[in-house]
Amino acid sequence: MNALHTTFAALRKQGTVACIPFVTVGDPDLEVTRALLPALAAAGAHVIELGVPYSDPLADGPVIQRATARALAHGTTIGDVLQLAQDTRIDGLDVPLVLFSYINPIMQYGINALIADAARSGISGLIVPDLPYEEAQDVRATARDHGIALIPLVAPTSHARIASIVAHADGFVYCVSSLGVTGERASFASEGFALIETVASLTDVPVCVGFGISAPEHVAQFSRCCDGIIVGSALVRTIEQHSEALLDRSRRVQATRDVAHFLRTLFSQSSGGAQ
Amino acid sequence: MRGPDAHGRFGPFGGRYVPETLMNALIDLEQAFRQCIDDQSFQEDLHTLLEEYAGRPTSLHEASRLSDALGGARIWLKREDLLHTGAHKINNALGQGLLARRMGKRAIIAETGAGQHGVASATVAALLGLTCHVYMGEEDMRRQQLNVFRMQLLGAHVVPVTSGTRTLKDAGNEALRQWVAQVEHTAYMLGSAVGPHPYPMIVRAFQRIIGKETRQQFLARCNTLPDVLVACVGGGSNAIGFFDAFVDDASVQLIGVEAAGSGLDTDAHAATVSKGTPGVFQGSLSLVLQDRHGQVLPAHSISAGLDYPGIGPEHAYLHHINRAQYVAVTDDEAMHAVEVLARHEGIIAALETAHAVAYVLKCAPRMPRDAHIVLCVSGRGDKDVSTMMAYKEAHA
């Protein structure tokens, strides 16, 4: 059984909303990412999204663009991300891992090869932000064959498309909280909440929300209506702010704790709350 | 069978690789476009603007002195440089502007490289009473200061893009990102035959007037079809519009000229067909300059309009089925060609167009005297004079 299914089933039983941090792998370098993941798990992460850096991230705002540029500056590849996933298992990390990648790095690696290698590396889910379901047949079928969940995105503009998208959903459905690219928002209009409600009425697959969530109040608001909350840019910005200390081995342990503390604080008011 | 198919594919190329947030907007745009293109009143409105505002039809001029000097084929020039705003870009901007107005959009956003599409978009926005934001790489703003000022005079907001290589590719990324944020009220006016379906189809439809007129004009003058068409290719909008009326005429050779920058044996070029591989970039599957890990590589050309690591999916397809050939010429060859054309015909071409001219300088002398080449003069060179001056100073 896919680890995402097991994790979400257990969380639902407890009435706990899933804490899902996103990190750009290789930002500021691979060694730091490897050190960060167990700290995020210890701070309450239930699932971790591993972002594959890509030169032209269309769905991302400036914070993740900068992280991507830092990761690419020393040549982080999708293969490195899979290797990191394996390494973290050796380190004893046991939370489900989701690979987040634009389609082109996957295509150049080879769709079949990438998904087979991801499965071998202990990846449970795959998010491809520029692969709408019409273009996703190959990836979806291959992922299914390898026991990897292809996690679809739905947006406030998806309207009539929602039913078809969630019909194919596996792992969880990723609801885009509001229009726009990734990046912190001050507050959220009702459209995001309405979207979550619509999606939840159409599927039993867990419903998670992301894009812009950056304050404990946001987490508290969304935790009342969905199964999980994804925190990307706000966490990536925190990593950026600590990058000098993270890169310095003598200060790394403390900096890692500081980043993890930020995640814990975000979820401190959520229903059930991350531990 | 001419593409795209129902999935927006030209053979294996094309498609729609965009964030979910944009999908319905693209579907709505496709629907509105299909309605307009069959609608007589839309066609009449567009036709009137093209004729009375933009200056169509453009002339087909026989470049006799240049032909004589080269001593080979007869060379004809399709004069898109004579259009209002100075390039073929206005054809597409008028079409997409009318379409945006029909869809009830009050605002447009656009990307620009050389600034020609930005100027055309700003012009059409002023004409139709729409607000306009143009995304332009900082590096291109420096190279094309004149066009930045023109856009501002026309009331458009020029937004500097500081990510990546600060050129056309990054402007395109940023325009798409901004569209994601305001998709419900804003039309994205894409300037080249690239991007997700339906853009390559829409841009071709509004640029095909170039080839349609050329065909009629040439038949009227020579009572036959030309042997070779030559056009420059960045994303490929002038070339696709120029080629379109001739694609089914197997006897007409179609040649797209890319920018070889400092040379194909260097890393500094924009020769996507010669050096690219299949990949997804800015919403469609086409040929892309990329490394083996799928990271898009920076392009280089002295011409901001060709300085782009992608190419329209239909060009990738025409190359794939061997219907069109794609060649590349260097910065130096293009600069030389500007002068040759200027001195023989009194026409200062844009640096983009100069790449096509440079290829004609190579191929015309090898062809017989009764052969005909038609060159698409996609734009005029006014915007490039400071780049040309700097080049001449550096190479004096």
Side-chain angles (χ1 to χ4, degrees):
Chain A
M1 194 172 178
N2 186 303
L4 287 168
H5 302 169
T6 321
T7 295
F8 277 103
L11 290 173
R12 271 191 179 174
K13 250 186 211 159
Q14 299 162 22
T16 302
V17 68
C19 164
I20 311 177
F22 166 100
V23 295
T24 298
V25 174
D27 169 37
D29 71 13
L30 282 166
E31 207 178 286
V32 169
T33 306
R34 184 168 174 174
L36 274 171
L37 299 188
L40 296 175
H46 300 106
V47 175
I48 297 176
E49 276 185 32
L50 299 177
V52 176
Y54 171 54
S55 56
D56 294 81
L58 277 185
D60 285 304
V63 173
I64 293 178
Q65 286 175 45
R66 290 199 299 270
T68 294
R70 289 189 293 269
L72 287 178
H74 49 81
T76 308
T77 67
I78 197 166
D80 293 335
V81 179
L82 297 185
Q83 183 60 50
L84 178 94
Q86 289 180 34
D87 293 344
T88 59
R89 296 309 187 203
I90 295 166
D91 297 344
L93 186 78
D94 63 353
V95 301
L97 298 175
V98 170
L99 192 71
F100 178 106
S101 176
Y102 287 84
I103 187 63
N104 200 44
I106 295 175
M107 230 178 235
Q108 302 312 317
Y109 194 99
I111 290 174
N112 289 317
L114 185 275
I115 290 174
D117 288 354
R120 268 195 292 277
S121 306
I123 299 287
S124 303
L126 177 62
I127 300 173
V128 189
D130 56 349
L131 193 71
Y133 80 87
E134 290 90 335
E135 303 285 1
Q137 291 91 333
D138 287 0
V139 173
R140 190 184 304 120
T142 312
R144 197 187 299 119
D145 291 348
H146 287 87
I148 288 184
L150 180 64
I151 295 158
L153 289 108
V154 293
T157 49
S158 295
H159 307 302
R161 297 169 51 79
I162 297 175
S164 322
I165 296 171
V166 302
H168 297 294
D170 191 11
F172 61 88
V173 178
Y174 190 140
C175 291
V176 176
S177 68
S178 45
L179 295 185
V181 293
T182 60
E184 299 106 310
R185 320 271 203 262
S187 63
F188 294 88
S190 59
E191 58 184 12
F193 301 95
L195 176 67
I196 292 166
E197 203 173 303
T198 308
V199 172
S201 72
L202 292 169
T203 181
D204 291 328
V205 175
V207 182
C208 300
V209 66
F211 278 49
I213 293 161
S214 48
E217 311 86 83
H218 302 159
V219 173
Q221 278 177 312
F222 281 112
S223 68
R224 285 193 281 275
C225 59
C226 67
D227 298 292
I229 295 172
I230 300 138
V231 178
S233 296
L235 181 65
V236 171
R237 184 191 292 280
T238 308
I239 293 169
E240 179 177 59
Q241 285 160 350
H242 289 80
S243 66
E244 212 174 298
L246 286 165
L247 285 167
D248 177 349
R249 288 212 176 115
S250 66
R251 293 154 68 200
R252 181 171 300 158
V253 173
Q254 185 55 45
T256 306
R257 281 193 197 125
D258 293 343
V259 172
H261 177 72
F262 172 79
L263 183 69
R264 195 193 305 269
T265 309
L266 269 186
F267 280 78
S268 59
Q269 298 172 28
S270 71
S271 67
Q275 293 78 40
Chain B
M1 158 73 195
R2 298 295 302 283
D5 66 14
H7 305 286
R9 298 268 172 182
F10 300 89
F13 300 108
R16 236 174 215 160
Y17 297 89
V18 294
E20 172 60 26
T21 307
L22 293 180
M23 283 302 289
N24 265 326
L26 293 172
I27 292 165
D28 290 349
L29 177 66
E30 181 180 353
Q31 218 164 28
F33 168 75
R34 289 188 190 281
Q35 279 165 8
C36 285
I37 214 74
D38 292 331
D39 178 71
Q40 205 182 340
S41 76
F42 180 88
Q43 287 300 344
E44 280 167 9
D45 288 353
L46 180 58
H47 185 77
T48 304
L49 286 177
L50 287 172
E51 236 180 59
E52 295 174 5
Y53 186 73
R56 299 214 74 90
T58 58
S59 61
L60 182 69
H61 161 73
E62 181 169 10
S64 305
R65 284 202 68 229
L66 181 64
S67 304
D68 289 348
L70 294 174
R74 287 171 70 182
I75 299 161
W76 301 76
L77 308 177
K78 179 59 176 166
R79 297 291 309 277
E80 295 298 296
D81 59 312
L82 294 176
L83 287 170
H84 180 42
T85 70
H88 71 289
K89 295 289 186 188
I90 193 76
N91 301 327
N92 171 56
L94 283 169
Q96 287 197 40
L98 284 180
L99 186 56
R101 198 171 67 175
R102 287 256 171 151
M103 294 178 76
K105 309 283 188 187
R106 300 305 313 271
I108 57 170
I109 53 176
E111 82 298 333
T112 199
Q116 288 305 109
H117 174 59
V119 168
S121 301
T123 299
V124 170
L127 178 71
L128 301 179
L130 306 168
T131 64
C132 179
H133 285 80
V134 180
Y135 293 85
M136 189 168 185
E138 252 188 358
E139 168 66 12
D140 288 340
M141 288 179 74
R142 187 187 60 75
R143 288 195 276 193
Q144 305 286 346
Q145 286 175 17
L146 180 69
N147 272 343
V148 173
F149 186 61
R150 287 167 81 198
M151 287 184 266
Q152 288 164 343
L153 274 179
L154 291 159
H157 306 275
V158 182
V159 186
V161 174
T162 57
S163 54
T165 51
R166 305 175 182 211
T167 59
L168 178 55
K169 135 181 138 74
D170 309 288
N173 288 343
E174 201 51 37
L176 274 167
R177 288 184 188 116
Q178 294 299 325
W179 196 34
V180 170
Q182 43 188 301
V183 60
E184 284 166 321
H185 310 290
T186 305
Y188 176 27
M189 198 182 267
L190 215 170
S192 194
V194 301
H197 179 61
Y199 281 106
M201 174 176 79
I202 290 179
V203 174
R204 180 186 67 192
F206 291 136
Q207 294 293 3
R208 62 162 51 113
I209 185 84
I210 306 173
K212 195 178 156 195
E213 281 177 10
T214 302
R215 202 169 198 283
Q216 286 166 354
Q217 290 165 325
F218 195 86
L219 280 169
R221 291 283 291 276
C222 302
N223 203 25
T224 179
L225 289 175
D227 300 283
V228 181
L229 301 186
V230 182
C232 64
V233 179
S237 70
N238 90 85
I240 210 70
F242 187 45
F243 293 168
D244 187 72
F246 299 90
V247 167
D248 295 332
D249 300 305
S251 70
V252 181
Q253 201 187 348
L254 309 175
I255 295 178
V257 186
E258 300 190 298
S262 306
L264 291 186
D265 51 349
T266 71
D267 291 333
H269 61 76
T272 309
V273 174
S274 302
K275 294 288 191 171
T277 51
V280 170
F281 172 57
Q282 291 185 343
S284 63
L285 176 62
S286 187
L287 294 168
V288 188
L289 295 178
Q290 59 183 331
D291 70 13
R292 65 194 175 89
H293 303 293
Q295 308 298 345
V296 178
L297 295 169
H300 165 78
S301 170
I302 192 168
S303 143
L306 303 185
D307 195 348
Y308 185 68
I311 186 169
E314 190 169 4
H315 284 295
Y317 178 61
L318 291 174
H319 169 71
H320 180 69
I321 61 170
N322 208 21
R323 176 63 192 94
Q325 281 72 51
Y326 295 84
V327 297
V329 310
T330 62
D331 289 351
D332 293 343
E333 290 170 320
M335 281 302 310
H336 172 68
V338 169
E339 288 190 40
V340 174
L341 184 68
R343 291 176 185 196
H344 288 85
E345 297 295 331
I347 296 168
I348 298 172
L351 281 175
E352 291 76 20
T353 307
H355 287 72
V357 178
Y359 182 73
V360 169
L361 300 186
K362 289 193 222 182
C363 77
R366 298 197 301 258
M367 292 170 66
R369 203 64 183 122
D370 59 351
H372 298 276
I373 299 173
V374 187
L375 163 66
C376 183
V377 184
S378 55
R380 67 179 87 127
D382 308 32
K383 68 183 174 60
D384 294 317
V385 288
S386 58
T387 305
M388 294 175 189
M389 280 169 71
Y391 178 92
K392 292 207 69 135
E393 272 166 33
H395 292 76

